[in-house]
Amino acid sequence: MASVVQYYERIGSVAVIGNYLPRRCGIATFTTDLVEALSTEAPDINCWAVAMNDIPEGYAYPEKVKFEINQNQLTEYSVASEFLNISQSNIVCVQHEYGIFGGPAGSHLLKLLGELRMPIVTTLHTVLKDPAPEYRKVMHTLCDLSDKMVVMSQKAFDFLKDIYAVPEEKISFIHHGIPDTPFMDPNFYKDQFGVEGKKVLLTFGLLSHNKGIETVLQALPSVIKKHPDVAYIILGATHPHILKVHGEEYRISLQQLVRKLGISDHVIFQNRFVELKELCEFLGTADIYVTPYLEEARITSGTLAYAMGTGKAVISTPYWYATEMLAEGRGRIVPFNNPDAMAEQIIDLLDNDVSLQTLRKKAYKFCREAIWKEVSRRYLEVFSEVKFNRSRHPRPRHLYVEKIKSIINFELPDTKLDHLKTLTDDNGILQHATYTIPDRSHGYCTDDNARALMVAAMGRKYLLADSTCFDSLSNQYLGFLLYAFNVETGRFRNYMTYSRQWTEEVGSEDVHGRALWGLGKAVANIDNPGQLAMSTTLFNQALKAVEHFNSPRAIAFTLVGMQAYLEKFSGDSEVRRVREILADRLFNQFKSNIKKSWPWLENSLNYANGKLAHALILSGQWMQRSDIIDMGLKSLKWLISIQTEDGHFVPIGNNGWYEQGGTKARFDQQPIEANAMIEACVEAFNITRDKTWIDDAVMCFNWFLGHNDLNISLYNPKTGGCRDGLMADGINQNEGAESSIAWLLSLITLHKLYADEILKQPSSDQPVNVKD
């Protein structure tokens, strides 16, 4: 290492990417501690942080945080890479956990890393044994982009080597860092927390359902019979993300269990997130530390490392990290979800002080290498090594990033939901607006609420990080669709007055198809359990009516919705059966009417034309029917050709449409037409990999932004809404639901395309199968 060590003082500047305190999570604590430890150990090095935000407003960070990224805003990753390159950081150290980065499987991070010039060291806080394809792909690409991978357990080392084929020389083992605390008598702090004279059990960390604390509670009655002086402290606030979705459900269930077992005098809940000093005092109080996690797949645990580092006797379930850390007599292992075994081990240690003290000493000695002073030195050695190696063996810029950029050659506008929220009340989304003001005289319709549900369902995944906003909107739109479904007829009603009266008992086939489209997208994208159950149930109830539909657009809407549903429940035989019937019907409608000069299923072009081609391409792809795909591509190419003039999109106007052999109506041009074509072109690209289709999609998207007949933007960046159409004498200044949703769906489609392409790129600089 001599040649490496001489570069130690030349590291210069280190930027650490991860969550950061005061955000409450384990990664934030680790990142903060690492930055502080590096700064203390090497004060001449400028060590600072790039913080990931899970809420738009961010947090009140300390000065060490120099840059913030909204985790679900893809554009901010590019800005961050530019900032890091300009700041001339010498090393970037990433704290990687899939869930703290946006995109499928956290793939947004890859865009940032691919644009960096300096060496990258990535610390893995999760390594999956049986990853889903997208998670495997992200890990492969992450390993390729990184100069060194840091793991905190031998199990993680083996997984990287054996499952992900990462060369051993690219992996470094460094312990999870812990504070340097003295080996103390547990009685020292007990009076401070009101447990003087008691035998104290402790579990700490952010609460969630997989913590298994109920196992310890169920073990306590047996322990108390033998040791009535036992107290069990449960320290930690509920995880913020769990709190948003489930509230204090888990804590309340634990409190109810305590009352049921009659052990209230022996259990202390500390519902708060404590700072390091107080945490060490709580740990100092414990005679036994317990980690009763319910799942094996836990590759590291900061709480276990902290407990061992303070010299605690530990009893744990056999998750991976615990099995490794507690080996060779450093702790006790009990089976998962086994209160009797837990009670037996607690009693044995409380009965045998010699055994307890032996465990304490072994754990404490083993973890001396894990104190932050030692861990920071190891990181500095790794930084020196990768910087030295990079100077000897420069790496070319990762070409896949340039290929991603070539997919969409401009930055997408920021997403703004203000107008969508303005149009939405406690009943659903209103149909129309006068200028930007909701127009209540026209009431509501199922069509718009189904479309709005798609925005809410997909938006959380591809736009913003504020899950509460999207959950609330999804509830409103799902509630409307639930009420719109007429159980007696098995069909959706469409129009509702502002006084909440339905104007018909059965809506059109098109309405029904749109509702199924929206519900299918909700099933594919929503992760809220109640909303998913409702969407799935309503989808299956409504599907029964469509088998005999004949309206081409109703069939197309339904097919797109069914395909989305099947992304979630691919084995649903009934949905697959109906899809085949409807896809054949739509295909045959095309076959029976197309002519060489008019490759269309009707004798006129009117509304949502692109959705018909989209449905054929999508269905043919997943049914492995090349004839259906070819028909969809042929019709879509024709639609592009007749709606393009002078390099810009000219959708068929609704003032007369376009009859075969007649004249195309130039106006009024509607946003829904641009949206349908964008989604169809993106799907055509997905199946052909021909970039021409993306050029066409971008052309249609630019219609919203002013590249149209009148050179006027329909998108309103102030409100986030979209004007209702392009007329011969200007734009329709009203911003109704259909138009504004068409804009948002178009924006989401391109965000999704960008995110998907990041995930699809090869992990090495190899040719990409994208046709220019």
Side-chain angles (χ1 to χ4, degrees), residues 227-494:
H227 294 276
D229 56 348
V230 158
Y232 179 33
I233 299 176
I234 301 167
L235 172 63
T238 299
H239 195 289
H241 291 173
I242 300 295
L243 198 60
K244 280 184 178 180
V245 178
H246 300 289
E248 291 285 9
E249 179 182 75
Y250 182 55
R251 185 183 302 277
I252 291 170
S253 73
L254 295 177
Q255 291 169 338
Q256 290 173 335
L257 180 59
V258 167
R259 286 192 287 270
K260 180 180 177 181
L261 294 172
I263 55 175
S264 297
D265 292 340
H266 299 270
V267 179
I268 302 168
F269 287 93
Q270 292 280 355
N271 183 8
R272 55 204 181 94
F273 185 88
V274 296
E275 300 296 332
L276 178 61
K277 179 178 180 295
E278 190 176 9
L279 172 59
C280 290
E281 292 171 355
F282 268 106
L283 282 166
T285 301
D287 294 281
I288 299 174
Y289 184 77
V290 189
T291 56
Y293 298 146
L294 299 177
E295 300 168 351
E296 178 186 47
R298 186 176 290 268
I299 208 73
T300 187
S301 169
T303 60
L304 177 58
Y306 273 44
M308 293 179 69
T310 52
K312 298 296 105 179
V314 178
I315 300 173
S316 176
T317 49
Y319 57 94
W320 293 328
Y321 188 66
T323 302
E324 187 173 315
M325 291 290 284
L326 301 179
E328 300 178 2
R330 293 188 291 268
R332 299 281 181 91
I333 296 290
V334 299
F336 292 110
N337 200 24
N338 191 326
D340 292 339
M342 180 69 72
E344 181 182 340
Q345 291 298 329
I346 294 172
I347 292 169
D348 183 63
L349 287 180
L350 293 180
D351 282 346
N352 298 284
D353 189 61
V354 172
S355 296
L356 188 147
Q357 295 302 327
T358 299
L359 290 185
R360 290 188 63 204
K361 291 174 183 176
K362 285 186 175 182
Y364 187 77
K365 288 180 179 178
F366 179 76
C367 287
R368 294 311 291 165
E369 292 182 0
I371 63 172
W372 276 115
K373 183 180 184 65
E374 299 299 327
V375 167
S376 63
R377 285 176 176 174
R378 284 286 294 116
Y379 270 95
L380 289 167
E381 289 173 4
V382 169
F383 296 160
S384 296
E385 179 187 346
V386 296
K387 187 180 179 189
F388 177 80
N389 289 340
R390 181 68 74 90
S391 70
R392 294 293 185 90
H393 307 286
R395 296 183 66 180
R397 184 178 174 84
H398 284 265
L399 298 178
Y400 85 98
V401 174
E402 295 304 321
K403 292 184 172 72
I404 293 168
K405 286 183 176 180
S406 74
I407 300 301
I408 303 175
N409 56 9
F410 66 97
E411 294 291 348
L412 294 170
D414 289 336
T415 305
K416 197 169 187 178
L417 299 178
D418 293 21
H419 193 58
L420 184 76
K421 294 177 183 177
T422 297
L423 291 175
T424 302
D425 62 16
D426 63 347
N427 189 49
I429 191 165
L430 290 154
Q431 283 192 79
H432 294 294
T434 301
Y435 298 103
T436 61
I437 309 303
D439 184 349
R440 293 172 173 81
S441 63
H442 295 283
Y444 315 84
C445 71
T446 295
D447 284 333
D448 289 336
N449 279 274
R451 295 183 186 108
L453 176 60
M454 291 186 239
V455 172
M458 297 173 68
R460 179 176 179 180
K461 191 171 183 179
Y462 294 104
L463 296 180
L464 302 173
D466 185 3
S467 60
T468 306
C469 161
F470 288 113
D471 275 351
S472 176
L473 291 172
S474 295
N475 277 335
Q476 298 302 105
Y477 307 139
L478 269 173
F480 187 94
L481 293 182
L482 178 62
Y483 189 44
F485 185 69
N486 187 332
V487 178
E488 294 180 2
T489 64
R491 294 283 294 276
F492 284 97
R493 295 167 283 211
N494 193 21

Side-chain angles (χ1 to χ4, degrees), residues 515-643:
L516 281 167
W517 178 17
L519 289 167
K521 288 290 188 182
V523 170
N525 291 283
I526 281 177
D527 56 10
N528 179 297
Q531 293 174 358
L532 176 59
M534 183 70 263
S535 302
T536 303
T537 301
L538 191 54
F539 181 92
N540 282 290
Q541 287 177 329
L543 188 69
K544 298 171 184 177
V546 305
E547 191 170 334
H548 302 292
F549 278 8
N550 285 301
S551 162
R553 285 160 185 80
I555 292 172
F557 300 149
T558 302
L559 284 170
V560 176
M562 282 195 291
Q563 188 53 53
Y565 173 93
L566 288 168
E567 290 176 15
K568 185 81 170 186
F569 300 114
S570 59
D572 193 318
S573 301
E574 178 62 12
V575 176
R576 292 163 70 97
R577 183 187 70 82
V578 176
R579 177 183 64 179
E580 187 166 349
I581 291 171
L582 294 184
D584 275 329
R585 184 170 300 149
L586 185 61
F587 177 63
N588 289 329
Q589 287 175 343
F590 267 90
K591 276 178 59 178
S592 63
N593 197 65
I594 60 170
K595 303 176 182 63
K596 186 174 182 180
S597 61
W598 189 265
W600 197 243
L601 77 169
E602 299 167 316
N603 293 325
S604 65
L605 283 170
N606 40 68
Y607 67 96
N609 300 305
K611 194 54 60 184
L612 305 181
H614 183 190
L616 288 176
I617 296 167
L618 197 61
S619 301
Q621 178 181 5
W622 293 104
M623 292 168 60
Q624 297 185 337
R625 288 277 303 274
S626 59
D627 54 343
I628 295 179
I629 295 171
D630 292 343
M631 183 71 76
L633 293 173
K634 180 180 179 181
S635 61
L636 182 59
K637 186 173 290 188
W638 179 68
L639 288 175
I640 286 290
S641 68
I642 65 169
Q643 296 183 103

Side-chain angles (χ1 to χ4, degrees), residues 107 110-111 114 133-134 136-142 144-145 398-408 685-686 689 691 694 753-770:
S107 56
L110 305 180
K111 184 171 187 294
E134 63 270 26
R136 182 184 295 272
K137 176 63 181 174
V138 166
M139 183 57 71
H140 276 304
T141 308
L142 183 62
D144 187 61
L145 290 168
H398 284 265
L399 298 178
Y400 85 98
V401 174
E402 295 304 321
K403 292 184 172 72
I404 293 168
K405 286 183 176 180
S406 74
I407 300 301
I408 303 175
F685 168 74
N686 286 337
R689 306 303 295 170
K691 187 178 173 293
I694 297 303
L753 169 69
Y754 214 150
D756 289 348
E757 286 307 304
I758 290 175
L759 198 57
K760 287 177 183 176
Q761 298 305 312
S763 55
S764 298
D765 295 336
Q766 299 168 350
V768 185
N769 184 25
V770 177

Side-chain angles (χ1 to χ4, degrees), residues 12-26:
S13 175
V14 175
V16 184
I17 301 175
N19 298 348
Y20 211 89
L21 294 176
R23 181 173 173 179
R24 296 182 173 184
C25 73

